[in-house]
Structure formats: C-alpha cells, structure tokens
Amino acid sequence: MVDVECVAEKNGCLTIKLQNKMKETRSHIINLYMIALSDSDFAIEEMNTILKIAAERGFSKEEFEKTISNPVGVEFHIPENFVEKIKFLYDFVRIILADGIVKNEEIDMFMNFCKKFNFDTNDATEILEWLKELASKNSPKNLIEDEIQQLLEN
C-alpha cells in the first residue's frame, strides 16, 4: 500500500488508501490462485483457503470471483516491509498445505515469490520450513509478527 500521510481530510486520503489496499489484495489473491493452480490440481481445500484469506483481508467471495474471472490490470505487488512480505509468504504456504499434498511445482512457485521479494535461496528455504511449521498449527498472523519482533530485538 502506498504510504499516504493524511491527518484531517475525510474523503481524499482515505479513498486513496482503500483503493491501494484493494489493488494489493487483488494482486495477492491472484498470486494465491496461481500457487493453487501450479500443481495442475486445484483442490477444493485450496479454494476454501483462498476464500478464507480473502475474507481476512475484507475481500468477499464475489470480489474473488470477479478478480479471477477478469484479472486484466492487476499488477504484481511486492510488500514494502519485511513483516508484510513474511505475512504474504505465510498465506502462500497456507495454500501449499491446504490439500495435504505438497508438490514440487508449489514449492518452485513459492521460491519464485521469495526471489521477487528479494530473499536469497537459503533464506527462502528456511522461511518455507518455518512457515510450514506455523501453518500446520494454524498459527495466527499476529503470532508471526510477534516472533519476528522477538528475532529483530535479539
């Protein structure tokens, strides 16, 4: 999301922030969908997980369907900070694990996203294993943020 400083204005800045958040969410939803499709087997569990993640971001099933049926103009979004990158990657891992079958194509797609997020291969592998462990426990994202903050403080 674009960082816009707005203190008193009621409509203008709020509208810009909401539009940018919606663009970011649409991009993220497309990326989740791409991971689900990467193994050539789009499972119902993956669909349900995408819809759950979309709902967590304030995105309805109808908005999901609209985005998937017409992705024209959706631009790839790279989160601006480390924590947001990890939270996006966590969602990717949730999709990878959703159907209970982890395939190489899904891992390859995850690693490609890590590369786009400027993580090297070794770090990406460690991040993947850490996020798989957290996702297998259905850990909430705020727990991830807390763990990251603890690591950064040490």
Side-chain angles (χ1 to χ4, degrees):
M1 181 166 71
V2 174
D3 191 16
V4 177
E5 191 65 37
C6 183
V7 177
E9 191 172 330
K10 291 182 181 177
N11 295 329
C13 286
L14 182 59
T15 300
I16 291 170
K17 285 184 179 184
L18 289 175
Q19 287 173 346
N20 288 331
K21 191 67 169 171
M22 181 65 78
K23 287 179 184 178
E24 175 184 305
T25 301
R26 289 183 78 210
S27 173
H28 190 51
I29 296 301
I30 292 290
N31 294 335
L32 295 170
Y33 190 66
M34 287 174 30
I35 287 178
L37 292 174
S38 67
D39 65 357
S40 302
D41 181 23
F42 189 61
I44 189 69
E45 297 90 351
E46 292 169 326
M47 172 66 123
N48 291 338
T49 303
I50 292 171
L51 291 173
K52 182 178 180 180
I53 293 167
E56 291 169 3
R57 294 177 171 271
F59 215 66
S60 70
K61 181 178 180 182
E62 291 76 24
E63 290 168 314
F64 165 76
E65 290 170 351
K66 182 179 174 184
T67 298
I68 295 305
S69 66
N70 186 16
V72 176
V74 176
E75 297 177 12
F76 181 73
H77 170 77
I78 297 175
E80 295 178 10
N81 65 56
F82 180 78
V83 172
E84 288 303 310
K85 288 177 184 180
I86 296 298
K87 287 167 48 177
F88 271 49
L89 293 172
Y90 180 66
D91 287 343
F92 298 157
V93 170
R94 291 168 65 189
I95 299 302
I96 291 169
L97 298 180
D99 62 359
I101 303 167
V102 177
K103 292 193 177 169
N104 289 337
E105 296 89 352
E106 295 168 320
I107 300 302
D108 291 345
M109 181 74 76
F110 178 88
M111 298 303 276
N112 284 332
F113 281 115
C114 285
K115 185 175 180 181
K116 289 179 182 188
F117 289 2
N118 292 317
F119 292 109
D120 67 35
T121 304
N122 291 334
D123 289 341
T125 301
E126 287 183 37
I127 290 168
L128 174 62
E129 294 307 315
W130 174 56
L131 293 177
K132 281 170 51 178
E133 181 180 326
L134 292 172
S136 68
K137 298 175 189 174
N138 287 321
S139 298
K141 286 184 191 167
N142 64 337
L143 176 67
I144 295 169
E145 290 181 54
D146 292 346
E147 283 197 32
I148 292 170
Q149 288 304 324
Q150 288 176 356
L151 289 172
L152 295 176
E153 291 171 5
N154 293 331

